[in-house]
Amino acid sequence: MNRVEHSAFIGVIILDAGWHYTYINEYAAKILNRTPDELLGKVAWAEFPAAIRYACYDQLHKAFKNKVEVHFEEYIKSSNQWVRVSAYPFGGSLHIALHKPDFAEISSLLESEYYLKYTENFQDLITVTSVDGKFRYLSPAIQPLLGYEVDEMVGTRILTYCHSDDTEILRSILMDENHATAADQGMITCRFLHKKGWYVWFEKNYKWMLDEDGKRSQILGIWRDITERKLVEERFVQAQRLGQFGSFERYLNDEYCIWSEEMYRIHGLDPLDSMALSEAIKPIVSDDRDKVALAFETAIQVGISEVEYRIVRNDGEVRHLKSQIERVIRDNGRTAVRGLIHDITTYKQIETELKRSKANLEIAQEIAGLGHYDWDVIRNDLYWSDELFVLFHMRREYFGNTIEAFFNAVHPDDTVKVKEAIRDSLHGGLLDLVYRIIVNETEVRMIHTMAKTTYDEWGRPLRLFGTMQDITIQKQTEELLRKTEKLNVAGQLAAGIAHEIRNPLTALKGFAKLMCQANEESKLRYFQIMQEEFNRIELILGELLILAKPQVVAFKPHDTKAILSEVIELLNTEAIMSDVIIELDCEPDLPLVKCERNQLKQVFVNMIKNAIEAMPNGGGLDVSVKKAAGGVALYFADQGLGISEERLPRIGEPFYTTKEKGTGLGVMVSFAIIDEHQGHIEYQSKLGVGTTVLIQLPAFS
């Protein structure tokens, strides 16, 4: 070391076990672009943190740890030069010698002015790499391709930037000092890390340069960015995989063909370089081989063909395939056939399932009296399913396939309502309507239709698709239930009404006797009193008849306050007999409600009677009417026994009741009536406190 230390052209550095500079001569400090005083006592890695990425970090640690000499080449970025480094462990310290390498930094070609001008505009990257994988030279193309500056990369290891999946191929081909596996020149593809974090695909053509002894000294590489090509290839492979498309190609008279990776996957096989023709034919179901052969012959003769066939994979699974085949002439003049294979097994299964589902749907629609329709709004083309022609007693060949043809079958009194509802559904999206139709010129049927509108990207209605169901029997049953409930209510009211009628009758009998002996003036007064009692009896009997006899359904605007007042008048006697006080509170200026007066009266009777029966020990019933958003809200709040939380959700179900002898039909009928009025009923209750029933009805407009 004494001889080395005194050389004017050799840099000398001594580091202690803590990597502190204990000695550094002027030449070494100059190489590091520092002075000895600036470095003495300092920690090497703290002064030059970037050196951790370079070869010196690993090599110097190796010398210290293993107590061995190391020799390597390193690029010193601060002075822009290559140096040969020798490190010797000695007495707990590390002695380091720096001197110029034997080789020129870059050949005369790379240093020439002509070459520099050429590489400045050359889009491909040119590199020179040492045998231990360090960059000795990079062309300016490194910056636009990978974002690094040239001086950032010179001296760093090539493997630092290589994708982990590509490291082995790069290591074995580009860093083989013993000629064991790599040729002197060739081409590889690999990915390199961009400065901003992503990877770029390169295709590299390389050539080893040999020294005077014929040994590999450095490697020249030309790197071409093929990222776009790789993306296209990956998208094509992904498209094949997602779309279950495979591709093949075969020269005529060849006994093998080339399959894409997806072809092997479809057939359940491991990929090969080529597929023997006999092996390619083997999976085809024997019954389909003739038509496959015919399709190939047709493609050879005509130029293109198509065929569907089945294969049996090694695992026994049958797959349905569809192939498009074409004839092509290659650059070498040879004729080939190529094509795409599409795995349509899933589509075949769906097609089979759809056929079965369609058959089941047709049976279900026939049983339920249900049919579907599809109206093309733009072309005014109306499609009806077979069930609708049966429902409307029409024949398909006589149907006009237009919306006007449908309107011709609608009951004249409902035509306007149906047209308005359809017009609203084209803007609102949904249709839910009950209306009447006329079949066989005289028979009236009730129809329930539900539909949904689809729109284009500008929000214009395109199609109205929906179902129709004959609900005539259902409506007749509901009407029968209402009549039954009316009679039931009338029977329950009989005792109270009898008592209510007995009082005026007793008064009438008494005044009749008095009139026999009264003077003219008294007779006139008695007559007026008797007339009032007659009017009261007539009112009570009229209300009872309204509940008992059938009524013509007619929706008209009515005042809910007036209807409530009449019902309370009718039930007040029964309430008094049950020690129940009914209080009515109405807000002023309430909007009118479009309703069927007698049906609404039936609902109110049910609500008040239920409230009275819920208070066996008497109490108060507060009935109030308030304005609500878009209509009125009616509240019936009693102080009765209340309903438990688990029973509340079942209120309104047929034959479900909280009464010992009740049927539950009264509440069910009330729900149905309010629903027909586009209203809503809601129950709120607490055991021991009471129940509040909210009825909301839309205002007449």
Side-chain angles (χ1 to χ4, degrees):
M1 282 295 298
N2 291 333
R3 182 180 61 81
V4 171
E5 291 174 7
H6 291 290
S7 172
F9 299 102
I10 295 178
V12 178
I13 299 173
I14 299 177
L15 301 174
D16 64 13
W19 301 103
H20 296 87
Y21 289 99
T22 60
Y23 175 79
I24 180 169
N25 68 3
E26 290 287 345
Y27 188 70
K30 183 178 179 181
I31 290 175
L32 299 178
N33 202 24
R34 299 286 185 92
T35 65
D37 292 339
E38 289 176 334
L39 295 176
L40 286 174
K42 305 290 181 62
V43 177
W45 310 123
E47 292 300 306
F48 302 99
I52 295 174
R53 296 177 54 194
Y54 290 79
C56 64
Y57 185 83
D58 294 332
Q59 293 292 334
L60 296 183
H61 276 78
K62 177 182 176 182
F64 246 141
K65 181 178 180 182
N66 299 333
K67 307 298 181 184
V68 297
E69 295 183 10
V70 295
H71 305 276
F72 57 95
E73 295 167 4
E74 189 65 281
Y75 177 73
I76 308 300
K77 183 178 179 181
S78 57
S79 58
N80 190 27
Q81 61 179 307
W82 282 90
V83 296
R84 184 174 295 279
V85 183
S86 298
Y88 311 89
F90 180 79
S93 299
L94 191 63
H95 293 238
I96 303 170
L98 310 178
H99 52 85
K100 286 279 189 176
D102 295 335
F103 63 88
E105 290 185 25
I106 301 176
S107 68
S108 58
L109 172 64
L110 298 181
E111 292 176 334
S112 68
E113 183 180 352
Y114 172 81
Y115 175 79
L116 292 175
K117 289 182 178 179
Y118 174 75
T119 56
E120 282 180 1
N121 300 307
F122 193 51
Q123 294 183 350
D124 293 343
L125 173 64
I126 300 174
T127 63
V128 175
T129 313
S130 65
V131 293
D132 57 353
K134 289 183 288 186
F135 288 115
R136 289 180 173 171
Y137 169 80
L138 299 100
S139 68
I142 187 66
Q143 206 284 329
L145 288 175
L146 288 174
Y148 302 99
E149 299 298 333
V150 171
D151 58 359
E152 288 184 83
M153 299 279 285
V154 173
T156 60
R157 291 183 175 274
I158 189 172
L159 292 178
T160 305
Y161 308 93
C162 184
H163 192 284
S164 58
D165 292 345
D166 303 331
T167 302
E168 277 309 309
I169 187 171
L170 196 63
R171 187 191 304 276
S172 63
I173 293 177
L174 302 184
M175 300 173 61
D176 188 287
E177 295 179 289
N178 300 317
H179 299 239
T181 57
D184 285 339
Q185 60 185 17
M187 184 182 71
I188 62 169
T189 57
C190 59
R191 287 158 288 183
F192 265 64
L193 181 66
H194 193 280
K195 189 174 183 178
K196 292 187 177 179
W198 60 81
Y199 281 91
V200 180
W201 274 99
F202 285 99
E203 182 178 82
K204 177 179 181 180
N205 288 281
Y206 66 90
K207 180 176 176 59
W208 279 102
M209 293 187 288
L210 309 180
D211 60 16
E212 294 178 355
D213 299 326
K215 293 183 178 181
R216 294 176 174 178
S217 61
Q218 50 193 354
I219 188 168
L220 176 67
I222 300 178
W223 305 72
R224 173 158 294 177
D225 183 353
I226 60 168
T227 304
E228 286 297 325
R229 191 182 81 191
K230 278 290 185 180
L231 287 175
V232 172
E233 291 175 358
E234 289 176 4
R235 287 169 186 159
F236 179 68
V237 171
Q238 184 180 29
Q240 284 195 340
R241 184 172 63 254
L242 295 177
Q244 296 182 307
F245 279 96
S247 58
F248 65 88
E249 185 168 335
R250 169 182 166 252
Y251 284 109
L252 296 187
N253 303 322
D254 279 355
E255 294 302 318
Y256 66 91
C257 52
I258 304 300
W259 278 10
S260 70
E261 185 177 337
E262 185 64 15
M263 278 286 286
Y264 287 100
R265 194 203 64 78
I266 290 173
H267 285 74
L269 301 172
D270 294 328
L272 302 170
D273 291 335
S274 63
M275 171 61 67
L277 188 58
S278 58
E279 292 298 317
I281 295 173
K282 188 183 296 184
I284 301 176
V285 173
S286 56
D287 292 345
D288 293 346
R289 289 181 183 175
D290 288 343
K291 66 177 181 180
V292 173
L294 179 61
F296 272 88
E297 288 298 325
T298 303
I300 294 170
Q301 298 297 327
V302 179
I304 192 168
S305 66
E306 186 175 291
V307 63
E308 287 187 17
Y309 61 97
R310 297 161 294 168
I311 62 169
V312 180
R313 307 203 312 184
N314 290 340
D315 57 7
E317 183 182 1
V318 177
R319 309 294 294 180
H320 293 260
L321 308 182
K322 183 176 182 179
S323 178
Q324 291 84 33
I325 311 166
E326 68 174 352
R327 180 193 66 217
V328 292
I329 307 297
R330 287 302 183 193
D331 294 339
N332 56 16
R334 297 183 64 189
T335 301
V337 286
R338 67 182 181 187
L340 290 177
I341 299 290
H342 186 198
D343 187 346
I344 60 172
T345 306
T346 303
Y347 299 103
K348 283 292 184 181
Q349 293 170 346
I350 293 174
E351 183 181 12
T352 302
E353 185 62 30
L354 283 175
K355 288 180 180 178
R356 182 164 56 249
S357 298
K358 183 179 179 181
N360 292 339
L361 178 61
E362 289 175 352
I363 294 172
Q365 287 185 163
E366 183 178 353
I367 294 173
L370 188 71
H372 65 272
Y373 59 89
D374 185 1
W375 179 36
D376 186 330
V377 179
I378 304 299
R379 296 187 300 171
N380 191 21
D381 184 13
L382 178 61
Y383 167 80
W384 272 8
S385 67
D386 293 338
E387 294 78 16
L388 290 186
F389 286 101
V390 175
L391 177 62
F392 279 73
H393 291 237
M394 291 184 182
R395 295 177 62 178
R396 188 179 292 274
E397 55 267 29
Y398 298 133
F399 185 60
N401 293 328
T402 64
I403 196 68
E404 288 74 21
F406 159 68
F407 288 144
N408 291 335
V410 177
H411 193 288
D413 293 343
D414 291 348
T415 301
V416 174
K417 177 177 74 172
V418 172
K419 288 183 177 180
E420 289 178 352
I422 291 176
R423 184 178 63 249
D424 292 342
S425 69
L426 295 181
H427 299 286
L430 297 176
L431 174 66
D432 189 347
L433 179 67
V434 175
Y435 60 96
R436 294 167 293 175
I437 63 170
I438 298 178
V439 299
N440 294 332
E441 297 183 356
T442 56
E443 184 182 356
V444 177
R445 310 291 295 177
M446 294 294 295
I447 302 297
H448 180 209
T449 181
M450 298 181 68
K452 185 175 182 178
T453 305
T454 58
Y455 304 89
D456 62 15
E457 57 186 309
W458 297 283
R460 296 176 302 188
L462 293 178
R463 311 186 78 85
L464 181 69
F465 180 85
T467 61
M468 292 186 193
Q469 185 176 21
D470 186 346
I471 59 170
T472 305
I473 296 177
Q474 176 185 334
K475 284 295 181 181
Q476 291 173 348
T477 303
E478 289 177 1
E479 185 61 30
L480 183 60
L481 282 173
R482 289 177 189 171
K483 292 177 181 178
T484 302
E485 180 61 22
K486 284 182 180 181
L487 292 174
N488 182 41
V489 172
Q492 293 176 12
L493 291 176
I497 291 175
H499 178 79
E500 188 71 14
I501 293 177
R502 186 179 291 113
N503 289 336
L505 284 176
T506 301
L508 288 171
K509 288 170 64 178
F511 281 111
K513 292 178 181 180
L514 290 174
M515 286 184 70
C516 295
Q517 301 175 357
N519 55 33
E520 291 299 323
E521 183 180 350
S522 297
K523 285 181 180 181
L524 180 60
R525 185 164 54 86
Y526 294 159
F527 178 78
Q528 290 175 346
I529 295 174
M530 292 173 68
Q531 186 65 41
E532 290 177 358
E533 295 300 323
F534 277 123
N535 291 339
R536 178 168 177 76
I537 293 173
E538 184 179 19
L539 174 64
I540 294 171
L541 292 177
E543 294 293 338
L544 183 61
L545 287 174
I546 286 175
L547 292 175
K549 71 179 182 179
Q551 303 292 325
V552 177
V553 177
F555 283 80
K556 296 179 180 179
H558 289 287
D559 182 2
T560 51
K561 177 183 177 181
I563 299 175
L564 268 174
S565 299
E566 294 174 4
V567 172
I568 291 173
E569 179 73 21
L570 176 65
L571 297 178
N572 201 40
T573 300
E574 182 178 346
I576 293 172
M577 291 172 61
S578 300
D579 198 20
V580 173
I581 304 300
I582 302 176
E583 295 287 346
L584 176 61
D585 179 27
C586 298
E587 286 186 354
D589 302 323
L590 291 169
L592 299 179
V593 172
K594 188 176 183 180
C595 64
E596 206 297 316
R597 180 186 182 89
N598 295 322
Q599 288 186 356
L600 212 55
K601 186 174 291 187
Q602 182 178 350
V603 172
F604 296 159
V605 168
N606 283 331
M607 296 298 109
I608 295 176
K609 276 182 56 58
N610 288 342
I612 293 172
E613 292 170 2
M615 295 182 283
N617 299 321
L621 172 59
D622 294 326
V623 181
S624 58
V625 188
K626 301 178 181 179
K627 296 176 185 176
V632 297
L634 301 98
Y635 297 87
F636 300 83
D638 64 51
Q639 300 171 348
L641 301 176
I643 306 170
S644 63
E645 289 186 9
E646 59 269 17
R647 288 189 171 191
L648 272 177
R650 299 193 60 187
I651 297 295
E653 294 182 9
F655 307 107
Y656 182 79
T657 178
T658 58
K659 304 175 188 176
E660 183 178 349
K661 297 182 181 180
T663 64
L665 294 178
V667 177
M668 187 204 74
V669 169
S670 297
F671 268 85
I673 291 174
I674 296 301
D675 187 58
E676 282 191 4
H677 285 71
Q678 282 79 48
H680 170 71
I681 298 181
E682 181 180 329
Y683 276 72
Q684 297 177 351
S685 186
K686 190 173 182 180
L687 286 174
V689 177
T691 301
T692 299
V693 183
L694 165 64
I695 299 178
Q696 290 182 300
L697 294 168
F700 170 73
S701 57

